[in-house]
Amino acid sequence: MRIPLDRHSGTPLYRQIEGYLRRSIVSGSLAPGTRLSATRRLAQDLGVSRMTVENAYAELEADGLVAARVGSGTYVLSPYPVPRATRTADVAWPLWQEDLSAMGTERSHPTPEELLRVAGHPHPIDLSSGVGDPRLFPADEFRKVLQNLLRRDPIGALAYGDRRGYEPLRSTIAHVLASQGIQTSAEDILITAGSQQALALTAQVLLNRGDVILVESPTYGSGLDLFRALGLTIVGVPTDEHGMQVEQLEPLLQKHHPKLVYTIPNFHNPTGSCMSGHRRRQLVGLADRYNVPVLEDDFVGDLRYEGHAQPALKALDPGGRVIYTSTFSKMLMPGLRVGFVVAEGPFHERLVEHKRVSDLATSNLIQRALQAYVTVGRYQAHLRRTRRVYRRRRDAMLQAIDRFLPSGTHVTSPQGGLFIWLHLPEGISSAELLPLACDRGVAFAPGPAFFPAPDAGQSFARLSFVAQPPEDIGIGIARLGWAIEKLA
Ligand SMILES: Cc1ncc(COP(=O)(O)O)c(C=O)c1O
């Protein structure tokens, strides 16, 4: 590869090499999947030391533009995760941008999905995803509902709408929740842009930088990213197959005086577990005794394939202690960006106001279409079908795990949701396993992304059983088994 270098410039040579490659990747002249020259070879071609080339590659890797694979080489990734605030050799940012850069930029590591793409397997199988199977989205039905709506009431549908959310949709949600034992009304419901916004607004209203939030360890990775971005101090509460170990909560409440406890009691992300009824009651009791709010994230509560549902924490709350959030992302389609929060009292009012100053309102058009879709009974029919399909896929994955994964791998069978949580055999780390598995054509979500503590979780992997048909699940798990055996 010919890279023009200016040996008299004040810019170090490694920066010049990095800048040249960066521009080539961003412009597309080095396509994703391209293998970069070996460092020794490029160093010879350019007449520089090997260390100079290694430093250039390391910068690109830190920014998620390339990925090194042991024994195979360094490959170009898709350029879209480029952190734009990173200064390149020949771009002079204005001073305010430099100040941001001096504060440190977020490094985006390649995702399992990107690693899988770069590996270039002819039939890749992605088990890392956190969403349902897009092939099951009721796209046609939703298009018809939208068209109908725009024909009937275009002005109403295209206005800002109510800042708490479309009232008939809130009433429908209240009605559905009542059937699950949550006594609420449209007045106490706020529609949000997905439940991620519900998490963000709740944390912003209740916590300041440095305040302590208690979370399950492990827990939802993008929840952790959010709490870190808000500068919160995150303390993990251990979990087992019955959810958060609430018995261990009291000393943590006494020691850390948290401002919020965040929990995913149903079909937990990533473990798939459900919190026992006894622990639910204990948790609501402790929240009352220690005057701490609980944020209950019920992201897939309706995706139960067997067994009996435990009462929602919100249903056990005499009023004002538990903040409940759920979403249409997993049960229907994530692109709707519709979630909601149920909460009462002054907190509810603060939340509504915070939502208003953040984004004015969630799309009125989509809320009205969703309301129309739900009321004609299509949502319930879609849920029934989805449950049937996902249940078969869960069973297919459990059978494949039994058949193809070596002894020493532990799983618990989830009664619903999206995920199976794998405890890898002794001595196998998910960081080492992932590139090998991707080369073989299967990706999973590595454990550390779900733990609040920096070095925890290497012996775990999260597998999604909903995003692939049963045949591909079998092939994917067989490939994973091969990769584990290889490492062992
Ligand atoms: C546990 C959990 N909570 C909340 C969310 C946020 O989803 P959304 O904002 O699409 O509703 C997710 C998404 O994966 C999740 O897994």
Side-chain angles (χ1 to χ4, degrees), residues 202-401:
T202 302
Q204 284 162 353
V205 167
L206 293 177
L207 293 95
N208 295 312
R209 289 187 90 75
D211 284 345
V212 174
I213 182 166
L214 294 188
V215 303
E216 279 137 356
S217 175
T219 189
Y220 167 47
S222 297
L224 286 174
D225 292 343
L226 165 71
F227 302 144
R228 287 187 185 118
L230 293 175
L232 308 183
T233 305
I234 307 171
V235 175
V237 187
T239 57
D240 59 24
E241 67 276 23
H242 302 296
M244 178 191 284
Q245 294 184 19
V246 178
E247 312 77 74
Q248 306 223 25
L249 191 61
E250 191 156 10
L252 294 173
L253 291 168
Q254 288 168 349
K255 181 169 172 203
H256 296 288
H257 307 289
K259 294 278 174 56
L260 182 65
V261 177
Y262 169 63
T263 177
I264 310 168
N266 294 325
F267 317 122
H268 185 271
N269 182 1
T271 66
S273 67
C274 286
M275 191 187 284
S276 68
H278 175 63
R279 283 179 172 173
R280 287 172 194 240
R281 289 183 173 79
Q282 263 185 313
L283 178 52
V284 175
L286 284 170
D288 189 30
R289 187 143 17 107
Y290 286 87
N291 187 33
V292 60
V294 173
L295 174 55
E296 174 177 27
D297 181 349
D298 193 16
F299 77 124
V300 282
D302 283 341
L303 291 180
R304 172 174 286 282
Y305 316 129
E306 66 195 21
H308 296 295
Q310 294 296 337
L313 297 171
K314 186 75 192 154
L316 302 172
D317 174 14
R321 287 150 188 80
V322 176
I323 302 153
Y324 176 93
T325 178
S326 186
T327 174
F328 288 92
S329 288
K330 315 293 171 175
M331 271 92 75
L332 193 52
M333 298 180 278
L336 300 174
R337 306 310 300 132
V338 179
F340 58 91
V341 191
V342 185
E344 308 80 18
F347 170 74
H348 176 79
E349 294 311 319
R350 289 283 300 277
L351 205 62
V352 173
E353 186 52 18
H354 214 74
K355 158 88 178 162
R356 186 185 70 77
V357 299
S358 303
D359 69 356
L360 299 185
T362 295
S363 163
N364 186 28
L365 173 67
I366 295 294
Q367 289 183 68
R368 285 178 180 231
L370 180 55
Q371 161 66 7
Y373 180 82
V374 174
T375 40
V376 291
R378 296 208 175 118
Y379 178 58
Q380 288 304 332
H382 170 78
L383 261 184
R384 277 195 296 276
R385 172 158 177 260
T386 308
R387 282 194 206 107
R388 253 195 331 270
V389 173
Y390 287 174
R391 182 193 173 121
R392 273 204 298 275
R393 294 181 180 190
R394 178 205 58 177
D395 294 345
M397 185 171 275
L398 287 171
Q399 276 164 19
I401 286 173

Side-chain angles (χ1 to χ4, degrees), residues 141-157:
E141 288 184 337
F142 207 76
R143 180 175 48 76
K144 284 181 200 147
V145 167
L146 265 174
Q147 283 172 339
N148 216 349
L149 180 67
L150 284 170
R151 226 184 352 256
R152 267 193 300 111
D153 183 15
I155 308 274

Side-chain angles (χ1 to χ4, degrees), residues 27-44:
S27 70
S29 60
L30 273 177
T34 308
R35 185 170 180 272
L36 295 184
S37 305
T39 49
R40 187 193 304 272
R41 176 76 197 277
L42 187 58
Q44 266 170 9

